[in-house]
Amino acid sequence: MKHTKVIEVLQSDKLLQPVLVKGWVRSFRNDRFIAVNDGSTINNIQCVLEDNTIDAAIQSRINVGAAVAIEGTLIESQGKGQRVEIQVSNVEIEGDADPEELKLTILSPKRHTLEKLREQAHLRVRTNTFGAIMRVRSKLSFAIHEYFQKNDFYYVHTPVITKSDAEGAGEAFKVTNLDLNNIPKNENGEVDYKEDFFGGETNLTVSGQLEAETYAMGLGQVYTFGPTFRAENSNTSRHLAEFWMVEPEVAFCDLDGNMDLAEDFIKYVIQFVLDNCQDDLEFLENRLVQEDKQKPQAERAEMLLRDKLKFILENNFKRVSYTEAIDILKNSKPNKKKKFKFPIDGWGADLQSEHERFLVEKHFKCPVILFDYPADIKSFYMRLNEDGKTVRAMDILFPGIGEIVGGSQREERLDVLKEKMAALNIPEEELWWYLDTRRFGTCTHSGFGLGFERLVLFVTGMGNIRDVIPYPRTPLNAEF
Ligand code: 4AD
Ligand code: MG
């Protein structure tokens, strides 16, 4: 007999018929009730053992964590909490789990902190919380592809290894095959990268944007969705050294069009998980309610998780220029009472996450798109405004998250772009291919990058970015 996924069994109306399920034991109560989970849903199937149906030797091996194959008859449940259950006729143990050894792991049936779970990231997906997060994460990535494919974007696989540092922030991880114990040097005593695998200095990509731009210049509308790497030493709950980024790029599209696209896209994927991840969202929502009970009233969430997601769908993102935002911040209570760690005293400062969160959570109380930032605090490729001091940049700020999207209208004018690069000491030789797009049929174009894990954080209501990616990479941590 072929086994049936638990999610199907739970919805099945084939009562009194034989059924086979395979999964891992979550609990075994009163020598009678085995709860089995196979990852297809947050819910377990209850399998009920009558006395003497199976061998005592097998029964003694039905331990939490064991992999089992259970055959029986699907019946209407006698108890509360489930519609159907399996009346067991046979149990096979595929993989034992020794209870004494299991006690030392996070699979032992007691509450473990999220920090503890991170130490055993290879096992945590077998907990309810991580099962739910990873199913939502998977659905979200599908929704991203679906959105762009439905809207006639082409998926472009941009390279992971590159000679360019797209953000020009110098936060790229080096890639080398040189023998580090015997580094070849040139006559100036510098490392001779000509000897290296690619014949030049290379790094892991910080963004697929520049390559995506070149493809938008032929395919019209493209997106990349892949891993990106940043060697920034920020140990925060919002930063990873390896994270996934979604980057659409659109020819003949200005900043307003870019904002419209970003807003429409985010709403689509949130609607998708609301429609397709109901059980997992309900579980995550209840988890937050329980967590909030431990907190003082003032720190508790104002909205339930799913209400927060619906709120995003039902409200327009507030579009505010950087200059307006600075005025609001300058005159805000926390600024006047010197509550900001970085006080706002004038135009030109980069916004810190405390400022972004004030704008989103306290002032506007909805997602905010900030645009027209000072040129000096943004990347070289953003289009210079007529004022000569701001660029057509936009950041989308989300409640509880801060920046979730960064994007811009690109500088399409060759002379302006070259001036900007010169001012920032970015050698033209390094980006000759990028400059070519401005030489041959340049046009207005725009794009943005959405940090995928920040989106997953928002949708699952989790508090730390390390808990929404299977194997987080952060400073001093690349285990697994
Ligand atoms: O704002 P960023 O640096 O923009 C770019 O990389 C552009 N090239 C994107 C584009 O226009 N195509 O990064 C984009 C987003 C941020 O808004 C944030 O959500 C996320 O990527 N991000 C990170 N997420 C996790 N860990 C990090 N270290 C991140 N750095 C950026
Ligand atoms: Mg940014």
Side-chain angles (χ1 to χ4, degrees):
M1 186 165 40
K2 198 179 164 309
H3 72 277
T4 311
K5 286 201 291 292
V6 169
I7 191 169
E8 284 166 30
V9 176
L10 289 172
Q11 287 159 5
S12 170
D13 48 16
K14 293 185 183 145
L15 291 179
L16 303 178
Q17 297 197 23
V19 61
L20 170 65
V21 293
K22 294 185 177 188
W24 295 271
V25 175
R26 281 296 176 84
S27 66
F28 186 25
R29 282 189 295 122
N30 303 345
D31 282 341
R32 197 150 179 241
F33 301 104
I34 317 166
V36 176
N37 188 282
D38 68 354
S40 62
T41 159
I42 185 107
N43 300 309
N44 304 328
I45 180 79
Q46 171 156 289
C47 305
V48 186
L49 272 184
E50 296 304 335
D51 287 345
N52 307 321
T53 14
I54 60 166
D55 234 43
I58 298 280
Q59 183 152 338
S60 69
R61 291 164 64 197
I62 305 177
N63 294 311
V64 172
V68 291
I70 297 186
E71 246 180 286
T73 310
L74 188 67
I75 57 169
E76 210 173 299
S77 178
Q78 316 293 305
K80 276 192 287 189
Q82 62 276 321
R83 194 178 59 87
V84 291
E85 60 192 24
I86 295 174
Q87 199 172 34
V88 178
S89 57
N90 190 38
V91 176
E92 268 176 40
I93 310 288
E94 279 219 20
D96 284 290
D98 181 83
E100 285 307 309
E101 285 185 64
L102 186 108
K103 254 191 215 159
L104 305 173
T105 75
I106 56 155
L107 296 181
S108 59
K110 62 167 200 184
R111 284 211 152 270
H112 301 281
T113 62
L114 293 169
E115 287 76 13
K116 187 80 199 160
L117 297 187
R118 254 173 247 152
E119 290 169 13
Q120 296 176 26
H122 59 303
L123 296 177
R124 64 182 181 170
V125 73
R126 283 211 234 162
T127 65
N128 280 334
T129 301
F130 282 86
I133 295 167
M134 293 308 154
R135 277 186 295 271
V136 170
R137 183 181 165 108
S138 171
K139 290 288 179 201
L140 267 175
S141 38
F142 176 77
I144 286 167
H145 284 293
E146 186 174 83
Y147 177 84
F148 287 118
Q149 295 291 333
K150 271 188 178 167
N151 287 288
D152 303 319
F153 282 68
Y154 297 103
Y155 180 28
V156 175
H157 302 103
T158 50
V160 167
I161 301 173
T162 171
K163 286 185 184 168
S164 77
D165 172 0
E167 290 303 298
E171 285 164 344
F173 284 100
K174 291 186 175 18
V175 173
T176 182
N177 246 18
L178 292 176
D179 177 356
L180 296 184
N181 291 311
N182 185 18
I183 298 174
K185 300 277 174 73
N186 62 20
E187 53 268 32
N188 300 328
E190 296 155 345
V191 180
D192 187 4
Y193 285 104
K194 284 205 199 83
E195 299 276 311
D196 207 347
F197 190 93
F198 295 106
E201 221 178 322
T202 49
N203 50 264
L204 295 178
T205 187
V206 295
S207 156
Q209 177 197 322
L210 303 191
E211 291 87 352
E213 276 187 58
T214 63
Y215 263 66
M217 291 297 152
L219 292 175
Q221 309 195 107
V222 301
Y223 68 105
T224 75
F225 182 13
T228 48
F229 308 85
R230 297 204 184 169
E232 49 190 340
N233 205 353
S234 17
N235 251 312
T236 78
S237 58
R238 302 283 175 269
H239 288 87
L240 289 165
E242 175 177 315
F243 64 99
W244 284 63
M245 189 158 38
V246 187
E247 295 180 277
E249 194 68 36
V250 186
F252 308 106
C253 174
D254 64 9
L255 192 69
D256 288 324
N258 204 24
M259 293 189 211
D260 293 342
L261 174 67
E263 185 168 343
D264 191 53
F265 160 63
I266 292 175
K267 287 179 171 170
Y268 181 90
V269 297
I270 289 181
Q271 181 72 61
F272 187 95
V273 285
L274 275 170
D275 293 342
N276 292 280
C277 304
Q278 291 165 22
D279 290 348
D280 288 321
L281 289 180
E282 184 184 343
F283 171 83
L284 291 165
E285 180 172 290
N286 290 334
R287 188 192 157 273
L288 288 175
V289 171
Q290 294 309 320
E291 201 178 75
D292 266 7
K293 284 187 184 155
Q294 321 292 322
K295 294 182 187 165
Q297 192 76 40
E299 285 170 33
R300 295 184 191 169
E302 283 171 28
M303 275 184 223
L304 292 172
L305 179 63
R306 281 171 297 180
D307 290 337
K308 185 186 82 172
L309 299 180
K310 285 179 201 144
F311 179 84
I312 300 294
L313 301 181
E314 287 157 8
N315 289 278
N316 292 332
F317 296 7
K318 180 86 187 155
R319 301 182 187 192
V320 186
S321 75
Y322 167 90
T323 305
E324 286 171 78
I326 285 290
D327 275 344
I328 293 167
L329 288 167
K330 213 159 55 182
N331 298 317
S332 70
K333 246 194 211 158
N335 200 47
K336 287 184 169 158
K337 291 192 169 168
K338 308 215 180 313
K339 289 272 161 64
F340 284 142
K341 202 167 144 219
F342 298 90
I344 297 281
D345 43 19
W347 195 90
D350 204 355
L351 299 184
Q352 304 296 325
S353 81
E354 57 179 348
H355 307 130
E356 297 176 341
R357 294 186 66 163
F358 173 82
L359 290 169
V360 174
E361 289 157 30
K362 297 283 179 315
H363 190 83
F364 291 110
K365 295 183 187 290
C366 70
V368 173
I369 310 184
L370 289 187
F371 61 91
D372 285 351
Y373 279 77
D376 292 346
I377 59 170
K378 289 289 183 188
S379 300
F380 74 96
Y381 50 71
M382 297 185 180
R383 193 182 199 281
L384 192 65
N385 277 313
E386 301 312 317
D387 62 14
K389 58 175 195 173
T390 61
V391 285
R392 297 248 78 189
M394 64 140 181
D395 277 5
I396 303 187
L397 315 178
F398 256 45
I401 303 290
E403 180 189 336
I404 193 164
V405 162
S408 63
Q409 185 174 324
R410 317 306 188 189
E411 183 54 78
E412 83 284 13
R413 297 162 297 186
L414 181 64
D415 51 337
V416 183
L417 186 57
K418 278 169 55 172
E419 261 174 49
K420 190 65 174 289
M421 286 170 59
L424 292 170
N425 290 319
I426 304 173
E428 280 182 32
E429 307 84 76
E430 244 170 54
L431 289 178
W432 63 272
W433 50 276
Y434 184 68
L435 292 171
D436 263 2
T437 57
R438 275 65 175 171
R439 285 194 181 96
F440 309 112
T442 192
C443 70
T444 303
H445 64 288
S446 301
F448 63 83
L450 169 128
F452 182 55
E453 283 73 22
R454 293 196 185 171
L455 176 68
V456 184
L457 257 188
F458 182 75
V459 170
T460 57
M462 297 300 289
N464 193 312
I465 199 160
R466 293 169 175 80
D467 296 331
V468 299
I469 186 165
Y471 293 110
R473 268 75 183 100
T474 50
L476 304 179
N477 178 20
E479 188 69 42
F480 308 105

